[in-house]
Amino acid sequence: MRTLLILLLHLSLFASSYNFEEIKYVSAVDTTFYKYGKIETLDKKTIITYTKPNFKQITKTDDNVSIKSSSGDVYNLKGKALYYTKLFIDVMVKLGEFKQIKTNRDFKVEKDGDMFYLTFLEDMADSIVKAEVKTKNSKVISFKMFMPNEDTLEIIKK
C-alpha cells in the first residue's frame, strides 16, 4: 500500500493534465473545426486524447509520435509529419504552462495585463508566427497560435 501511495505521489508531481476545447481555423477552405479532449503531460510523454467529435489519441515521446484511431489502429508518424507534429505538441505544452511562457528562449514575450503576446524565433517562426496567451491569476486559461498560411489553432482550457 505504501509503495502504491509513493508511486501515485511521484506521478502527480511530474504529471499535469487538463480538458480543452480546440478551435482550428483552416484558411484554405475558410472553415472552422471544433474538437474536445484532454492533454496529459507526463515525465517524458505527452498524450492528447480527442473525445469529440471522434476519438483519436496522439502520443508523443522523445523520438516518436503515434496516433491511435477509434478502431484501435495505431500509426507511427515519420519524416516531416513526425517533425511538425512533435513541434506543435511541444509548443502546446509550453503555452499551456504559465512558467514556460515567461521564461522560454523559443519566443519573444510582450505582456499587457493578463495577455501575453509571443513572437516565435528561429526555426519555429517558419511554422508558427505568433501566439496569444490569456491568463488569470498566473494560470493559462487559453492560447491561440497563428500560422504563416493564416490558419489558427486555439486551445481553451476547461
Side-chain angles (χ1 to χ4, degrees):
M1 181 67 173
R2 183 183 306 180
T3 306
L4 181 61
L5 184 61
I6 291 171
L7 179 63
L8 289 174
L9 179 61
H10 183 275
L11 287 175
S12 67
L13 290 175
F14 297 103
S16 66
S17 68
Y18 60 87
N19 293 320
F20 68 92
E21 174 183 4
E22 176 182 295
I23 304 168
K24 182 176 184 176
Y25 173 73
V26 179
S27 176
V29 290
D30 192 26
T31 303
T32 302
F33 299 94
Y34 298 87
K35 294 182 182 178
Y36 301 87
K38 182 176 186 175
I39 295 178
E40 299 174 83
T41 53
L42 307 167
D43 189 27
K44 293 188 179 200
K45 181 190 270 188
T46 302
I47 302 168
I48 302 172
T49 305
Y50 291 101
T51 54
K52 292 179 186 174
N54 300 314
F55 173 86
K56 182 191 308 185
Q57 188 172 64
I58 303 169
T59 303
K60 179 205 161 283
T61 60
D62 287 336
D63 300 323
N64 188 42
V65 174
S66 62
I67 300 174
K68 181 178 181 180
S69 67
S70 59
S71 67
D73 294 336
V74 177
Y75 304 94
N76 291 305
L77 299 181
K78 295 178 184 170
K80 286 184 179 183
L82 173 64
Y83 173 80
Y84 286 110
T85 303
K86 283 173 62 174
L87 176 92
F88 274 92
I89 291 172
D90 288 343
V91 169
M92 288 173 66
V93 169
K94 289 174 186 176
L95 296 182
E97 294 291 327
F98 185 75
K99 288 184 225 175
Q100 290 280 339
I101 58 172
K102 293 189 78 174
T103 58
N104 200 295
R105 64 180 185 205
D106 293 328
F107 37 78
K108 184 178 80 170
V109 179
E110 293 179 27
K111 183 178 186 303
D112 183 16
D114 287 339
M115 289 294 296
F116 288 83
Y117 299 95
L118 289 62
T119 304
F120 287 83
L121 306 172
E122 299 178 19
D123 291 342
M124 291 183 120
D126 292 338
S127 301
I128 307 169
V129 177
K130 64 181 181 175
E132 299 174 351
V133 181
K134 189 182 292 187
T135 64
K136 185 175 181 179
N137 300 325
S138 299
K139 293 186 181 196
V140 173
I141 57 173
S142 69
F143 56 88
K144 186 173 187 176
M145 297 182 284
F146 297 82
M147 283 35 114
N149 63 358
E150 298 183 15
D151 289 1
T152 62
L153 178 71
E154 183 173 8
I155 299 291
I156 302 168
K157 290 184 173 186
K158 298 291 180 180

